[in-house]
Amino acid sequence: MTERAEKPFLYVVVCAAGIAAGVTELITAAQRRGWEVGVIATPVAMGGFFDTGDVEARTGRPVRSAWRSPGDPRPFPPPDAVVVAPATFNTLNKWAAGHADTLAVGTLCEAAGLGVPTAVLPCVADALAAHPAYRDSLTRLRGMGVRIADPYTGEPGPDGHRPRFGWERGLDLLERP
């Protein structure tokens, strides 16, 4: 079993969305706020959606995506909080339904069962957000105490520019009463 970290420990769960490349903004912001950070990624996100080497250098820990073997030590201490960013349609629906088929979703299911404060920054296109399963999943997750930010669609504004993804919103959601 891993010893408790001196600083509070934040799990950042990264899903496969184009903006995942900016996850280091969240890591840096969390570290500035006094968190130690460990990153867990969905298997698809590990396929080039963000720079795993840079994340490992910043956190001093491996990026996790696969289950560890029974005899292997735990590479992270238990989480004090979790931020899922970017959170995709697929991950949110699987989590709400309790389908723990990846380390990332299994970790989220376990965190919910343990009452670990969890914040979500959805990155879901409008067409997918309109799907009834997605709306039901958000309702179920909120009922579990998960704090969910307004979705980021990535759609360009009237000026043609895409809005900035507010990585720190996840930390802000954790700090609210």
Side-chain angles (χ1 to χ4, degrees), residues 43-119:
V44 177
M46 291 295 289
F49 280 84
F50 67 102
D51 185 337
T52 57
D54 187 25
V55 166
E56 289 175 349
R58 289 172 188 265
T59 64
R61 296 180 180 274
V63 173
R64 297 196 57 210
S65 182
W67 303 99
R68 66 184 175 82
S69 296
D72 291 346
R74 295 178 186 270
F76 299 165
D80 294 293
V82 178
V83 174
V84 189
T88 60
F89 176 85
N90 190 44
T91 295
L92 291 170
N93 286 325
K94 288 194 318 182
W95 176 21
H99 293 285
D101 63 341
T102 66
L103 176 63
V105 180
T107 298
L108 295 173
C109 289
E110 186 176 78
L114 293 170
V116 175
T118 303

Side-chain angles (χ1 to χ4, degrees), residues 8-41:
F9 202 89
L10 178 69
Y11 284 12
V12 172
V13 176
V14 181
C15 303
I19 59 166
V23 73
T24 55
E25 290 183 45
L26 174 57
I27 293 165
T28 300
Q31 290 169 332
R32 271 192 245 130
R33 294 188 192 191
W35 292 94
E36 189 171 346
V37 179
V39 174
I40 299 171

Side-chain angles (χ1 to χ4, degrees), residues 124-127 152-164:
V124 177
D126 288 340
Y152 175 86
T153 66
E155 290 298 316
D159 62 359
H161 290 87
R162 293 188 191 281
R164 183 183 169 280

